[in-house]
Amino acid sequence: MAAINYSTLVTQIQNTMEDDSSEFVAAIPDFIHRSSLRLTRELDDDGINEFATSQFTASDPFLTLPSGTLIVRNVNYINASGSRISLLLRTSEYVADYWPVRASVGEPKYYAKFRNDKILLAPTPTSANVVEVKYVVEPSTLSAGNETNYYTNFCGNALFYGSMVEACDFNKNATAAQVWETHYQNSVLVLANEARRNRRDDMETVASPAGSGDTLRTGVT
């Protein structure tokens, strides 16, 4: 599919479905948004990463995440000597066992997802270090006033196919929805393989920098 934008995507959906009813046309923005959100949750793509810088709060074991965060990829901070330290992701149970007294402070080593908008740190920070969060958020919502985003520029096929699944569901056409779902899954498979190839290091499988076994997905998925 050639490069698309919101307007051409709306036209493609309407023309392919051959449905000019006012109800259907009014629902097209919802089809596109649901397809976009689905891609955000299913793709493991560096193109949807965002970065935000803030600070720890001394003696506060929680850090508020950027608005709209769906997935936290990495949390790192700058310690007193100026070195950047990446925190290790653990479960909240692990963090509670490791640092049971939150009032005690130290140099943070671990973090756990606590709520959708907060992470729990352990040890509780001693000082207000600068912290950087690498996270996944849905790209800017497509609309007549925002014609393009990452998905229109790099994932046009998957965005269109996902929107068609939603459109067929709206029209209660389960058979056609399954056809478009197959197209969608195949397109996402290609994107996942592309993301995997971008994570290769000198064409070799690398071990986890955290010291554990290799966590890099191989193959085509």
Side-chain angles (χ1 to χ4, degrees):
M1 180 181 291
I4 62 172
N5 58 34
Y6 176 78
S7 297
T8 59
L9 180 58
V10 169
T11 300
Q12 287 170 355
I13 294 169
Q14 189 173 352
N15 289 346
T16 305
M17 291 296 296
E18 298 181 335
D19 190 337
D20 296 327
S21 68
S22 58
E23 294 86 356
F24 181 83
V25 172
I28 290 178
D30 292 331
F31 305 157
I32 295 172
H33 182 252
R34 285 198 291 269
S35 179
S36 176
L37 185 57
R38 183 180 180 184
L39 281 170
T40 303
R41 287 177 165 146
E42 293 184 0
L43 284 181
D44 189 14
D45 194 313
D46 289 333
I48 54 177
N49 291 341
E50 295 288 344
F51 297 86
T53 301
S54 60
Q55 288 182 303
F56 291 145
T57 299
S59 301
D60 186 350
F62 297 102
L63 177 70
T64 299
L65 296 171
S67 177
T69 296
L70 296 176
I71 299 168
V72 179
R73 286 201 182 273
N74 176 259
V75 180
N76 64 77
Y77 71 98
I78 300 175
N79 65 13
S81 64
S83 297
R84 190 175 292 276
I85 307 298
S86 286
L87 300 183
L88 302 177
L89 175 62
R90 295 290 187 266
T91 65
S92 57
E93 292 81 6
Y94 181 99
V95 169
D97 285 342
Y98 175 78
W99 204 254
V101 181
R102 293 178 182 172
S104 299
V105 297
E107 292 293 316
K109 183 176 181 180
Y110 302 112
Y111 78 95
K113 195 76 178 288
F114 191 78
R115 292 190 332 200
N116 286 340
D117 62 343
K118 289 182 184 294
I119 58 174
L120 175 63
L121 308 166
T124 299
T126 302
S127 56
N129 305 80
V130 173
V131 58
E132 180 184 76
V133 178
K134 180 180 179 182
Y135 63 103
V136 171
V137 65
E138 184 182 7
S140 57
T141 301
L142 291 166
S143 66
N146 183 49
E147 288 279 342
T148 61
N149 65 11
Y150 181 79
Y151 293 144
T152 60
N153 294 337
F154 297 99
C155 310
N157 284 345
L159 181 62
F160 171 66
Y161 297 148
S163 299
M164 287 299 296
V165 173
E166 297 292 339
C168 290
D169 284 343
F170 180 86
N171 278 356
K172 300 179 177 61
N173 190 338
T175 300
Q178 188 56 52
V179 172
W180 289 109
E181 177 67 20
T182 299
H183 288 311
Y184 172 83
Q185 293 295 340
N186 289 338
S187 183
V188 167
L189 189 66
V190 170
L191 293 169
N193 190 48
E194 181 180 282
R196 177 192 63 81
R197 293 168 66 191
N198 275 323
R199 293 191 179 96
R200 295 300 289 248
D201 182 6
D202 294 331
M203 303 308 294
E204 296 179 357
T205 301
V206 295
S208 166
S212 63
D214 171 58
T215 59
L216 182 68
R217 253 188 345 183
T218 58
V220 297
T221 60

